[in-house]
Amino acid sequence: MQRAVAGYACGAVAGYAADAVFADPRRGHPVAAFGRAATALERALWRDHRGAGALHTALAVGAVAAGAALLERGAGPARRAANAALATWTVLGGTSLTREARTIGGHLTAGDLTAARERLPHLCGRDPSGLDEQQIARAVVESVAENTADAVVNALVWGALAGSPGLLAFRAVNTLDAMVGHKSPRYRRFGWAAARLDDVAGWPGARLTALLAVAAAEDRGRAWRIWRRDGSAHPSPNAGQAESAFAGALGVRLGGTLQYGTRVEHRPVLGAEQRPVAVGDIERACQLSRRIGLLALGATVVARALWKGRR
């Protein structure tokens, strides 16, 4: 048991380091392959019905989890470590996240608003055409906060709970939600199961992200206060946890009116008494994200070791 725990821990640390150094593979990314397979399955199963969407979700996520579990079956510590390293590198997106954010921040710093608008869709789904410098900076900081939970912390949490199968299954759930979990006419019913499963899977990591943001903040009291007061005001059960904690940790105001294509959302303001986001806060958000990632890696590896040790 101790060798198996050590194997996962070494693999998770190695995978985290690989993401930090190499980021996402530019070609042949397994997540892209999963997306193509899920799209092909959607073409075969699509009906404007929740049941069809639930079957699509179960088959897509189940296939990933079952395949990963088969690779773990009978594996020794070295193979488990290799599986964990590859799975962790595959699912983490922290380095790509901060690189995109910094690219947009660089365009804003250089005064190139057009380039910043063109780059924003690489990071989030908002319509950038009418956004000014401050609004783009706010969108970037909010995306860094939300995706720190989704692309880093939640994946590590599920790795701690279920090893490599947990890592890969969470990424499948999160990817499927991005594909079909939105409220368009085509996916309002078909994507319901994927969206709800993503909410459930994202629950623990979102709250751990908020706790770690408080721990990593310069003013922990402010971060705690804003998180506890505003975390549940967001329409998403998970996104508001990370965003409110980031707002408190950075001392900025997040939330408000957003536009996704033709759809406009008026969200509650998080940290309403604080100043608006400035361009310089993008780098601060990236640094906070990296600190949270390292804390999450340590916390989840230790938690898995303690849990397995007790068993």
Side-chain angles (χ1 to χ4, degrees):
M1 177 64 73
Q2 290 178 346
R3 293 176 66 189
V5 171
Y8 174 81
C10 291
V13 171
Y16 188 96
D19 175 69
V21 174
F22 303 113
D24 291 325
R26 295 190 179 275
R27 294 183 180 179
H29 199 296
V31 173
F34 170 79
R36 290 191 294 270
T39 298
L41 185 62
E42 178 190 336
R43 286 195 294 267
L45 296 179
W46 188 89
R47 302 289 185 279
D48 190 16
H49 191 274
R50 284 185 176 183
L55 178 61
H56 176 255
T57 299
L59 290 175
V61 176
V64 172
L70 283 174
L71 289 175
E72 290 282 278
R73 189 175 182 180
R79 185 169 145 194
R80 285 179 180 270
N83 289 346
L86 288 172
T88 303
W89 183 27
T90 295
V91 305
L92 292 186
T95 298
S96 294
L97 169 66
T98 53
R99 282 183 182 177
E100 284 293 340
R102 284 168 170 148
T103 296
I104 297 170
H107 291 318
L108 293 175
T109 300
D112 194 343
L113 185 60
T114 299
R117 286 172 173 164
E118 290 175 351
R119 197 70 188 180
L120 187 63
H122 290 256
L123 193 62
C124 64
R126 299 181 199 179
D127 180 3
S129 59
L131 299 184
D132 60 21
E133 177 184 279
Q134 191 278 323
Q135 291 168 324
I136 291 176
R138 191 191 93 197
V140 171
V141 170
E142 289 172 353
S143 294
V144 169
E146 183 175 358
N147 285 294
T148 297
D150 280 345
V152 182
V153 180
N154 256 312
L156 293 171
V157 165
W158 283 99
L161 291 172
S164 297
L167 284 162
L168 295 170
F170 173 75
R171 179 53 60 215
V173 170
N174 193 241
T175 302
L176 207 60
D177 175 62
M179 294 174 64
V180 304
H182 38 88
K183 296 180 179 179
S184 66
R186 178 177 175 85
Y187 295 124
R188 191 176 302 276
R189 282 178 281 272
F190 184 82
W192 177 86
R196 297 291 77 77
L197 183 59
D198 185 68
D199 287 343
V200 172
W203 195 96
R207 280 128 189 101
L208 179 58
T209 301
L211 282 171
L212 295 179
V214 171
E218 293 181 3
D219 188 338
R220 295 186 182 93
R222 180 184 65 198
W224 173 267
R225 185 178 67 255
I226 299 297
W227 169 43
R228 300 307 298 157
R229 187 192 70 194
D230 296 344
S232 298
H234 198 283
S236 165
N238 296 324
Q241 303 294 317
E243 290 186 21
S244 61
F246 264 68
L250 298 173
V252 298
R253 184 167 65 241
L254 300 177
T257 301
L258 309 175
Q259 184 167 347
Y260 297 89
T262 59
R263 178 167 57 91
V264 177
E265 293 186 11
H266 300 285
R267 294 181 179 176
V269 176
L270 311 175
E273 70 275 24
Q274 301 180 139
R275 64 174 176 81
V277 177
V279 173
D281 293 315
I282 293 176
E283 177 59 29
R284 295 177 64 225
C286 290
Q287 292 177 8
L288 177 60
S289 176
R290 299 303 281 177
R291 292 197 297 272
I292 290 170
L294 286 168
L295 289 171
L297 176 66
T300 53
V301 165
V302 169
R304 182 171 176 82
L306 292 174
W307 178 44
K308 289 291 187 180
R310 289 186 64 184
R311 291 181 64 189

